[in-house]
Amino acid sequence: MSFRGLRTSKFRHVFGTAMRKDSHYEGIRVTRNSWDSTFCAVNPKFLAIVTEAAGGGCFLVLPIEKAGRVPNNPPMVAGHRAAVLDIQWSPFDDTIIASCSEDMTIKVWVIPEKGLEESITEPEASLESVHQRRVGFIAWHPSAHNILMSAGSDNFVVIWNVGTEEPLSLIECHTDILWSCGWNYNGTRIVTTCKDKTLRVIDPRTGDVISERKKAHDGAKPQRAVYLKDGRVFTTGFSRMSERQYALWDDNNLSEPITLEEIDTSNGVIFPFYDPDNNMVYLGGKGDSNIRYYEVTEQSPYVHYIDRFDTSDPQRGLGFMPKRGVNALQNEIARFYKLHPNKCEPISFTVPRKSELFQEDLYPDTASQVPALSADEWIEGKNADPNLMSIRDEFASVLPAKPKLAGLKKPNALNRPKLAPSKPTSTNSVRDSAPPKPAPEPTPPPPKVERSPPARERERSPPREVHRGSGDRTSVAATAQKLQQQHNAYERQEVHAREEEKVEEGAGAKDPPPEPPKPEPEPEPEPAAPRQQPAAPQPQIPPDFDFQELLEEVKGLRALVRQHERRIMNLEDALGIGD
């Protein structure tokens, strides 16, 4: 029996965290409509939530940074004559949002840059006169500008040119109400689920069915489907015994699922949210109090369960932030906006890392706001993947700068020149040809003279008995004479050494070696006034000082301080010791 061990993945330890209460949006009357929709849409600038209204349909738009309590009568987007069922932000302009309603119309709105100051009732574009019943779902094209798809309860799927407010194609292959619709990565195919339990892959330009699977999930409750980046299809649904399931399919061959797994026995419809950059799928059910997340790979079992985030309150809807809006400074890879009956709560999913630097492996290039195709080019049959952008460029002003490995401006601190003595140069050939003078013999060191201890030590030493006899007086005189002889010899040696030094100095004066260049004498400082401290010297800035590099270091330090402050705040919330 072989042991496979743990699967290697950088997302194994992803965890979800509910943000602080001061980040919540409170005082919102979230809609209580029973339609199976998320009722929330978010982008890096705005948060849109479908609200409860009487006599028509409306939704609320808030700037993403204005968290807190919403006023009692905030300005609304109110132009529909019936309840709003779905809202979607444009992927290429954060101020354009589309909405569909039970009044059989799709309307496109432009939100002011600073948010709503008064209610809006006139849309920029109105798409109508095609759907004969309520419109339940809308989806923007991922790479073509102003291309929108809508699906209604009249069993029609319509592709629109929003700029001209004209339908481009009408797909009529469905036999019952549609439950979901979505584009693939480059917008060349769409996938739909229907009440007839059939999963279909369709060409959006011609309306031809490329492949289909009847009874993709055996249950009678709604099914949802999303396209993955590599062309596979991920679906959620119910079994015959009302057990919730997910399945993975090949869009070219829907005869058998790649994998099919049961989740639990709850009865809420599961909404799949797909992150194409990290190949992760998040599952949040309507009425559930948790969010499960999986990683999709090419290896069996293909869909790998990671973990789930649990709360105590059920969710009425969810909004999924695009990758452009996550906080890369805290290694955040996903953010949801969970709808409660009267508020919206942000939930962050983070990969724990020890390093404070930007994590390149967590943030590959993501879809940008620049469309790859115009509407006319897509109508002509051109295809293109979405244009990509770097997440690091979005945070370039606050992220620490990359270390410079070449072209350093600072001098090498270890490259210090050695001052080697230079040989004397002379034009006297006789002197140069003469043999070198032998070095003088080293003078022996003078003999050591033992000194008597100081008076204090003599006083502290114990008294000794003194015998004053004739022999003692003779030995003392001999010692004194010996010390006098040593002292005279030391003086003679000193005189002899000084005479030799004078002789050497005289010989060197005839042919002095070149002296090293003397540094310029520094000007002497002026004498300070009496009883006053001298003024501190002014710092001198080197000529090659790089102010830009210092500013980048300061910005990096500020970013690190902010990260630690956020982590401290998160720990305080987790421990319940916050203010």
Side-chain angles (χ1 to χ4, degrees):
M1 182 177 179
S2 61
F3 176 70
R4 294 186 301 174
L6 294 176
R7 184 179 66 90
T8 303
S9 173
K10 55 192 172 186
F11 303 112
R12 279 180 52 205
H13 304 290
V14 173
F15 65 96
T17 305
M19 292 191 178
R20 296 167 58 97
K21 190 174 181 180
D22 56 7
S23 301
H24 297 184
Y25 305 84
E26 299 182 344
I28 303 173
R29 297 176 57 197
V30 179
T31 181
R32 293 177 291 178
N33 197 309
S34 60
W35 182 252
D36 291 321
S37 179
T38 57
F39 299 124
C40 181
V42 64
N43 65 22
K45 283 187 179 180
F46 297 107
L47 170 66
I49 302 172
V50 179
T51 58
E52 189 71 18
C58 61
F59 59 93
L60 177 67
V61 176
L62 299 172
I64 202 73
E65 69 275 4
K66 290 189 177 180
R69 178 164 292 277
V70 178
N72 291 333
N73 295 312
M76 297 278 189
V77 180
H80 288 283
R81 299 186 302 272
V84 176
L85 299 181
D86 195 12
I87 50 177
Q88 294 293 332
W89 290 101
S90 169
F92 309 118
D93 192 337
D94 288 340
T95 61
I96 295 178
I97 186 171
S99 61
C100 62
S101 169
E102 290 183 353
D103 61 5
M104 303 176 291
T105 63
I106 303 105
K107 298 184 184 296
V108 180
W109 314 84
V110 176
I111 308 299
E113 287 287 343
K114 296 182 180 179
L116 294 178
E117 297 180 357
E118 59 181 5
S119 296
I120 300 177
T121 57
E122 293 297 328
E124 291 294 323
S126 182
L127 312 178
E128 49 189 46
S129 302
V130 176
H131 288 288
Q132 302 303 316
R133 297 183 65 182
R134 63 183 178 184
V135 183
F137 305 101
I138 51 176
W140 291 93
H141 194 284
S143 60
H145 195 221
N146 286 340
I147 301 296
L148 182 69
M149 174 174 59
S150 64
S153 298
D154 53 3
N155 309 341
F156 293 159
V157 175
V158 184
I159 310 297
W160 300 86
N161 184 349
V162 177
T164 60
E165 304 182 14
E166 296 176 349
L168 300 178
S169 63
L170 180 65
I171 302 172
E172 305 178 86
C173 60
H174 301 89
T175 61
D176 212 328
I177 297 175
L178 281 98
W179 278 332
S180 71
C181 59
W183 299 89
N184 68 345
Y185 182 69
N186 59 3
T188 57
R189 296 182 178 184
I190 62 173
V191 60
T192 63
T193 58
C194 184
K195 194 174 181 180
D196 60 7
K197 304 180 185 179
T198 303
L199 174 68
R200 295 177 176 89
V201 176
I202 305 169
D203 186 337
R205 292 187 179 93
T206 63
D208 298 334
V209 178
I210 299 173
S211 58
E212 65 179 6
R213 162 75 181 195
K214 294 183 179 180
K215 293 187 178 180
H217 295 276
D218 294 331
K221 294 182 179 180
Q223 305 173 13
R224 310 282 294 192
V226 292
Y227 245 115
L228 305 188
K229 187 176 181 179
D230 57 5
R232 292 178 291 181
V233 177
F234 187 93
T235 62
T236 60
F238 292 81
S239 68
R240 188 174 300 174
M241 303 300 294
S242 295
E243 298 169 330
R244 297 198 291 189
Q245 300 174 330
Y246 69 79
L248 189 65
W249 308 81
D250 182 359
D251 65 342
N252 292 316
N253 182 14
L254 297 178
S255 58
E256 291 294 333
I258 299 174
T259 181
L260 177 65
E261 295 290 339
E262 293 182 357
I263 301 175
D264 55 20
T265 57
S266 182
N267 58 359
V269 178
I270 294 183
F271 299 101
F273 300 90
Y274 175 60
D275 179 3
D277 301 326
N278 296 327
N279 271 338
M280 292 188 64
V281 176
Y282 302 83
L283 302 182
K286 191 173 182 179
D288 290 353
S289 57
N290 56 60
I291 299 176
R292 297 175 174 87
Y293 40 102
Y294 303 79
E295 184 180 4
V296 184
T297 64
E298 297 289 342
Q299 294 80 27
S300 178
Y302 307 104
V303 181
H304 304 271
Y305 174 76
I306 299 177
D307 204 349
R308 74 178 189 180
F309 169 77
D310 292 299
T311 58
S312 58
D313 299 324
Q315 54 216 13
R316 286 197 177 182
L318 289 171
F320 186 54
M321 173 69 78
K323 191 59 66 71
R324 294 182 291 110
V326 300
N327 189 355
L329 299 177
Q330 295 184 351
N331 297 336
E332 183 185 39
I333 61 170
R335 188 189 306 167
F336 284 87
Y337 287 78
K338 175 182 175 180
L339 297 185
H340 297 260
N342 58 355
K343 71 174 182 178
C344 178
E345 176 187 15
I347 299 172
S348 175
F349 289 85
T350 307
V351 178
R353 292 285 175 90
K354 293 182 179 179
S355 175
E356 301 290 345
L357 301 177
F358 179 75
Q359 305 298 313
E360 298 281 356
D361 59 330
L362 299 182
Y363 301 98
D365 292 348
T366 189
S368 70
Q369 291 186 279
V370 180
L373 297 172
S374 65
D376 295 336
E377 289 175 337
W378 186 82
I379 294 170
E380 293 172 358
K382 294 183 180 180
N383 298 318
D385 290 343
N387 288 325
L388 302 180
M389 58 172 285
S390 173
I391 297 294
R392 187 183 183 93
D393 295 342
E394 291 291 312
F395 293 87
S397 59
V398 293
L399 284 174
K402 290 184 178 181
K404 299 178 181 179
L405 302 180
L408 295 175
K409 297 181 179 180
K410 294 183 179 180
N412 188 354
L414 302 179
N415 189 14
R416 297 183 179 180
K418 296 181 180 180
L419 300 177
S422 58
K423 294 183 179 180
T425 57
S426 175
T427 56
N428 192 342
S429 60
V430 176
R431 188 181 301 164
D432 294 341
S433 61
K437 183 179 179 180
E441 296 181 359
T443 306
K448 280 188 177 181
V449 179
E450 297 181 358
R451 296 182 180 180
S452 59
R456 292 182 180 179
E457 294 184 5
R458 290 198 303 270
E459 290 175 0
R460 294 175 183 176
S461 59
R464 294 181 298 177
E465 296 182 359
V466 181
H467 300 279
R468 300 184 178 276
S470 60
D472 295 336
R473 286 193 291 270
T474 305
S475 60
V476 171
T479 302
Q481 184 178 3
K482 186 176 180 180
L483 292 174
Q484 184 64 31
Q485 291 176 358
Q486 292 179 355
H487 179 68
N488 295 339
Y490 177 69
E491 288 183 349
R492 286 195 298 271
Q493 291 176 359
E494 283 187 348
V495 171
H496 180 67
R498 284 196 294 269
E499 290 177 354
E500 287 185 352
E501 289 178 0
K502 289 181 181 180
V503 172
E504 291 178 359
E505 289 177 359
K510 297 178 183 178
D511 190 12
E515 297 181 357
K518 296 183 178 180
E520 296 181 2
E522 298 181 357
E524 298 182 358
E526 296 181 2
R531 297 183 182 180
Q532 292 184 0
Q533 295 182 356
Q538 296 295 331
Q540 297 181 0
I541 300 176
D544 57 349
F545 186 78
D546 192 352
F547 286 95
Q548 186 63 30
E549 184 175 357
L550 178 60
L551 291 176
E552 292 176 355
E553 292 180 0
V554 171
K555 290 180 181 178
L557 292 175
R558 287 179 178 174
L560 294 179
V561 171
R562 286 195 291 270
Q563 290 180 17
H564 288 299
E565 289 178 352
R566 293 190 186 96
R567 291 188 176 181
I568 291 172
M569 294 169 64
N570 292 337
L571 290 174
E572 289 178 352
D573 291 341
L575 298 175
I577 60 176
D579 296 336

